[in-house]
Amino acid sequence: MKKHKGLAILFFVISLLVLSACGKSELSGLESIKEKGKIVIATSGDNPPTIFPNENNELVGIDADWAAIIAKDLGVEIEWKRVDFKGIIPGITSGNFDIGMSGILVTEERKKAIDFSEPYAIDEAVVIFPEEVTTIKSPNDIKDKIVGVVTGSSNGEAPVKEIGGYKELKQYPGVAQALADLQNERVDVVVTGKVAAGHWLKSEGKGYKMSEEGIAGTGMAAVISKDNKDLTEAINKAIIKAKEEGKYEEIAKKWLDTTFSE
């Protein structure tokens, strides 16, 4: 009787492990994505011009254009999942999303947790501030300022904390909220990526300007779980092929009126 009871418990444990494994693999792997016919992409969705909603509430921008290229090459549709920027990488590592695309910059620290695709843009940290201010030349000139940044951003929060000397650091889920507080004089300056800064100044940032110098220039890429090497390889092939076809410069020109300098 004890023997049968032991076998029953063993069978129950094995069943749980199998079910658990099945659940974890639901959003992982290139073949799984192709079988579903969609790729689930996490994004903040509020970081123009990399990713933001248009008048029809459709996500557009540099990330969106490259996501479309990737999805077309894989032969699948896109399912966007909008989350706070700081939740993207944890969501990738836990298997909640297939990839993340949200103006995410390549850093050594992030490489410890996830893999990056081939970069599809270049960015660096700059300061946005009222045009009457004459004392700011680069992000190094934030001493005694109330500084707004996107939480977890490598072109905002990270360099600002490294520079230090600020009066107060205010963190936001996206650059749109940080810039709104700049306009409402709740922060003195905003430190963010040059790509986002240039787009905002061009479209709605009247009365503000960008620092002449930037720091921490690096590539922008998709983030993928380290467990999904086949997916990373497929995405890299799609990006490299599109670059060879001129999409790198074409997409930069579309959103920034300039091309990326590497």
Side-chain angles (χ1 to χ4, degrees):
M1 186 72 178
K2 288 183 178 179
K3 181 178 179 181
H4 288 191
K5 186 176 180 181
L7 288 172
I9 292 172
L10 178 61
F11 179 77
F12 177 71
V13 170
I14 292 172
S15 298
L16 286 178
L17 290 172
V18 170
L19 288 172
S20 175
C22 290
K24 287 183 180 179
S25 65
E26 185 179 352
L27 285 179
S28 65
L30 178 61
E31 292 306 315
S32 176
I33 289 169
K34 288 187 174 182
E35 184 177 343
K36 291 181 299 181
K38 67 178 181 181
I39 184 167
V40 180
I41 307 179
T43 186
S44 67
D46 61 356
N47 188 37
T50 56
I51 190 81
F52 63 103
N54 63 13
E55 61 275 8
N56 298 318
N57 205 33
E58 300 164 331
L59 290 176
V60 296
I62 295 171
D63 281 318
D65 284 355
W66 280 103
I69 288 170
I70 292 167
K72 183 179 179 181
D73 195 80
L74 298 181
V76 298
E77 301 294 323
I78 297 171
E79 180 180 337
W80 292 104
K81 293 289 187 179
R82 295 189 62 173
V83 298
D84 277 357
F85 185 86
K86 64 182 179 181
I88 294 175
I89 290 177
I92 297 296
T93 58
S94 63
N96 292 328
F97 318 115
D98 293 320
I99 67 174
M101 298 180 75
S102 194
I104 302 171
L105 300 184
V106 179
T107 69
E108 293 304 315
E109 185 63 28
R110 287 173 177 165
K111 283 181 180 179
K112 296 175 184 177
I114 45 82
D115 283 339
F116 282 99
S117 71
E118 170 81 9
Y120 51 76
I122 299 293
D123 205 4
E124 62 181 347
V126 296
V127 188
I128 305 176
F129 53 95
E131 59 185 9
E132 63 268 18
V133 176
T134 60
T135 56
I136 298 176
K137 302 298 181 185
S138 81
N140 292 306
D141 301 321
I142 58 172
K143 184 179 179 181
D144 298 326
K145 304 290 185 186
I146 301 175
V147 184
V149 298
V150 174
T151 303
S153 59
S154 58
N155 58 6
E157 181 181 355
V160 166
K161 284 186 173 180
E162 184 175 344
I163 293 165
Y166 46 81
K167 180 179 180 181
E168 182 182 352
L169 182 66
K170 290 193 174 184
Q171 299 168 292
Y172 300 87
V175 70
Q177 293 91 332
L179 292 169
D181 265 11
L182 176 65
Q183 290 177 307
N184 291 320
E185 299 182 356
R186 296 190 183 101
V187 296
D188 299 321
V189 301
V190 168
V191 176
T192 188
K194 187 176 182 178
V195 170
H199 178 79
W200 183 75
L201 290 169
K202 175 185 172 184
S203 60
E204 55 184 294
K206 186 177 180 181
Y208 296 86
K209 61 183 179 181
M210 184 195 317
S211 59
E212 297 173 5
E213 301 172 15
I215 59 173
T218 188
M220 186 186 299
V223 292
I224 310 148
S225 170
K226 286 183 175 292
D227 295 330
N228 292 340
K229 300 297 183 182
D230 55 345
L231 178 57
T232 301
E233 183 179 346
I235 288 173
N236 284 344
K237 286 181 179 178
I239 294 173
I240 292 169
K241 178 184 175 184
K243 281 184 171 182
E244 291 172 350
E245 295 171 349
K247 293 295 183 181
Y248 188 69
E249 292 80 6
E250 181 183 315
I251 291 172
K253 191 72 176 176
K254 174 182 175 181
W255 295 105
L256 306 173
D257 278 340
T258 186
T259 55
F260 295 119
S261 58
E262 296 192 64

